Amino acid sequence: MYDAADVIAFRDNTSVKAGATSYNLNEQVVAALPDASVNAGDPINITKPVMIVSEGTGDALAPVSFAGTEFVYFISRGTSNFTVFSPFGTANVQLCYGSGFTSCFTNITVPKGGIGSFGDVANGVTVRILSNVSVLVYHGAGGSEPLF
């Protein structure tokens, strides 16, 4: 970090650890991460939703991605696919849709450090992706649609 940053917790009992600095914050509590605590590219580990804002510029720190065990996504850009990366352990991943997410598209197993994918998910549905360990999920739209 080039300057200190403020961490704002959205939920009670939010753990934040960045370098040598750690906090347990309650909802709406703000704490500072000193500029000596985190270097560019260092992880900031959190247990619940937060916002992290640079004290110098006011810019929000945007992560590359969030690792988690549940993702919900509405598909509105043509046929879609999802790629799953499992950095922490072997993941059993399931993609479900429909009322109450009771219809499951498929199940895949992704080894630690491995990649798996779900493809050809139809437009106009909401999907829920569940995993037994934290994973990173990337969404890609099919055809000429942009990937994001």
Side-chain angles (χ1 to χ4, degrees), residues 83-102:
T83 301
V84 179
F85 172 66
S86 183
F88 306 113
T90 298
N92 297 309
V93 186
Q94 183 177 55
L95 185 142
C96 299
Y97 61 95
S99 179
F101 301 108
T102 56

Side-chain angles (χ1 to χ4, degrees), residues 69-75 82 93-107 118 121 125-131 137:
T69 57
E70 180 177 9
F71 302 85
V72 176
Y73 189 82
F74 178 72
I75 298 170
F82 295 89
V93 186
Q94 183 177 55
L95 185 142
C96 299
Y97 61 95
S99 179
F101 301 108
T102 56
S103 300
C104 294
F105 183 80
T106 189
N107 296 303
F118 299 103
V121 180
V125 299
T126 300
V127 298
R128 182 172 71 172
I129 299 170
L130 299 172
S131 176
V137 176

Side-chain angles (χ1 to χ4, degrees), residues 6-74:
D6 291 330
V7 179
I8 303 107
F10 293 158
R11 301 277 189 264
D12 287 342
N13 298 312
T14 299
S15 294
V16 178
K17 183 170 182 355
T21 303
S22 61
Y23 296 105
N24 187 20
L25 305 175
N26 285 326
E27 183 176 352
Q28 298 183 353
V29 172
V30 178
L33 297 175
D35 59 351
S37 293
V38 183
N39 294 309
D42 286 352
I44 299 174
N45 297 301
I46 58 173
T47 58
K48 298 181 182 176
V50 299
M51 181 172 186
I52 303 175
V53 179
S54 164
E55 287 183 351
T57 65
D59 292 336
L61 276 65
V64 172
S65 185
F66 290 101
T69 57
E70 180 177 9
F71 302 85
V72 176
Y73 189 82
F74 178 72

